[in-house]
Amino acid sequence: MIISKTPLRASFFGGGTDFSTYYENSKLGYGTVVSTALDMYVYIIANRKFDDNIRIVYSGNELVSRVDEVKHNIIREALKIVGIEKGIEIIYMADIPLSQVGIGLASSSALAVGVLNALHAFNGEFVPQGVLAREACEIEINRLGQRIGIQDQFAVAHGGFNQYKFFNDGSVSISPVVCKKEIIGKLKNNLMLFYTGTTRDSRKILNEQSDTILDKTAMLDDLVNTADRAVQALYDDNLDFWGTELDRTWEIKKKFANGVTNPLIDSMYAKAKKAGALGGKILGAGGGGFMMLYVPPQRQNLVREALSEFTYIPFDYSHEG
């Protein structure tokens, strides 16, 4: 039996610059994001089945005789990439409800990376994190045609608190944010995570964003520069920069596509800022899911009171992919 555990992630700065349409054409030479893996996980169990059938268990339950009959698209394509055609059981579970999609924590990419990791191990193969990320991109973008960036696959495969750079030639660099441990800890203590209570199908938002990326080059260049400055701010112990820049870049993100925000999200964010949050954002494509806020500790009780109708989610960083 093989058990694979893959973290979810929170992306702070640079979202959108990880789309190939941007970074392959950027005059800056790269796109970049700053993100951290979270201590919330996707789990994959792979076990040899006593017969030649394939059994897949998630919020649904499939029992089929051929790979092509598997309905779960990510698991089906992972089986094809690894070359497993029969005689396996795969169980998928997570620290988030499987029935809810579009939450902004990269759960689809964590599933892709996790199931690839488990299936390679099932075959007796060790595959490096970078290869798992590339294979997950192959599944999600090339095979399933999802119009998304590539930050999530690398973030969940590598884990940790990192800056990722996506270069014109398609190469990717992963740079751990190395600063004083107490600064990273203080940043976490200034961050609050809330569940909006709503999910969304992010495909419409991401499709519109993808269609208009070249029209938003100046804004995306700004996000690249902000991500670079955010890392420097950690080295300089200038944490409030994160709060004010989260606020400023959230205003930019709302211009990327219709549906990034809505009246519920706008009201929630306004309440948080009035109670003392310096800034924040909806994680992922927008439209629902989770809201990350930067709140000085002395104001956090007020923010929790202001957002009492929403679920507060304690979290920590995850250092492993």
Side-chain angles (χ1 to χ4, degrees):
M1 177 182 290
I2 304 296
I3 302 176
S4 175
K5 174 183 174 184
T6 309
L8 302 175
R9 71 93 188 94
S11 178
F12 299 108
F13 297 106
T17 72
D18 60 317
F19 281 68
S20 60
T21 308
Y22 174 78
Y23 64 74
E24 288 177 355
N25 299 286
S26 171
K27 65 182 181 181
L28 301 177
Y30 62 94
T32 184
V33 300
V34 179
S35 69
T36 184
L38 302 173
D39 64 340
M40 293 182 277
Y41 301 93
V42 164
Y43 306 91
I44 301 294
I45 299 173
N47 192 42
R48 192 169 305 280
K49 201 172 187 304
F50 75 96
D51 57 26
D52 286 342
N53 289 325
I54 299 170
R55 181 170 179 251
I56 314 291
V57 180
Y58 46 105
S59 55
N61 194 329
E62 301 186 44
L63 181 62
V64 300
S65 58
R66 297 187 303 112
V67 172
D68 286 334
E69 296 174 343
V70 174
K71 294 179 181 178
H72 196 296
N73 55 6
I74 289 177
I75 295 176
R76 180 186 66 243
E77 297 306 318
L79 285 165
K80 290 181 178 180
I81 281 181
V82 179
I84 296 174
E85 298 181 351
K86 60 184 180 179
I88 190 171
E89 292 182 286
I90 301 170
I91 301 173
Y92 163 34
M93 62 190 75
D95 291 331
I96 54 172
L98 296 182
S99 60
Q100 297 191 1
V101 296
I103 61 171
L105 299 180
S107 55
S108 293
S109 295
L111 167 60
V113 167
V115 73
L116 285 163
N117 189 39
L119 294 180
H120 280 297
F122 183 85
N123 269 355
E125 303 162 350
F126 170 77
V127 178
Q129 294 161 311
V131 173
L132 291 173
R134 292 287 184 186
E135 289 184 344
C137 290
E138 167 66 20
I139 289 174
E140 294 191 272
I141 299 172
N142 297 333
R143 298 195 176 198
L144 300 181
Q146 297 179 16
R147 302 175 72 184
I148 58 176
I150 65 172
Q151 63 159 310
D152 291 350
Q153 298 85 355
F154 283 87
V156 301
H158 287 272
F161 198 123
N162 302 310
Q163 181 178 17
Y164 300 86
K165 289 189 176 181
F166 314 100
F167 295 98
N168 291 158
D169 63 1
S171 62
V172 178
S173 70
I174 301 98
S175 302
V177 176
V178 181
C179 62
K180 293 181 179 179
K181 185 176 181 180
E182 57 266 27
I183 294 176
I184 289 290
K186 187 161 57 171
L187 174 65
K188 183 184 74 68
N189 291 337
N190 286 354
L191 296 172
M192 302 183 76
L193 186 64
F194 289 88
Y195 179 51
T196 65
T198 61
T199 58
R200 78 283 184 267
D201 185 340
S202 62
R203 286 174 294 184
K204 185 176 180 180
I205 297 172
L206 291 169
N207 287 346
E208 181 181 344
Q209 180 177 330
S210 180
D211 286 338
T212 60
I213 276 183
L214 294 179
D215 299 328
K216 297 180 171 66
T217 298
M219 287 192 290
L220 291 163
D221 289 346
D222 184 2
L223 296 183
V224 168
N225 292 326
T226 299
D228 289 336
R229 295 201 311 272
V231 173
Q232 185 61 48
L234 288 180
Y235 298 149
D236 296 338
D237 196 11
N238 181 17
L239 293 184
D240 284 353
F241 175 91
W242 279 56
T244 56
E245 284 301 289
L246 280 170
D247 182 58
R248 188 181 71 83
T249 54
W250 170 239
E251 293 300 318
I252 293 174
K253 180 175 179 176
K254 289 191 291 186
K255 299 174 183 177
F256 278 179
N258 293 316
V260 170
T261 191
N262 56 45
L264 172 70
I265 292 171
D266 288 340
S267 174
M268 183 179 179
Y269 191 71
K271 289 177 181 178
K273 285 198 68 178
K274 184 176 181 180
L278 295 186
K281 61 177 290 190
I282 290 290
L283 298 175
F290 288 82
M291 179 178 288
M292 181 74 78
L293 296 167
Y294 181 99
V295 188
Q298 66 272 21
R299 306 290 296 181
Q300 290 186 4
N301 284 338
L302 294 174
V303 170
R304 288 187 68 169
E305 291 175 9
L307 302 183
S308 59
E309 63 189 284
F310 302 99
T311 304
Y312 170 67
I313 310 293
F315 74 94
D316 203 348
Y317 305 133
S318 177
H319 302 291
E320 297 182 356

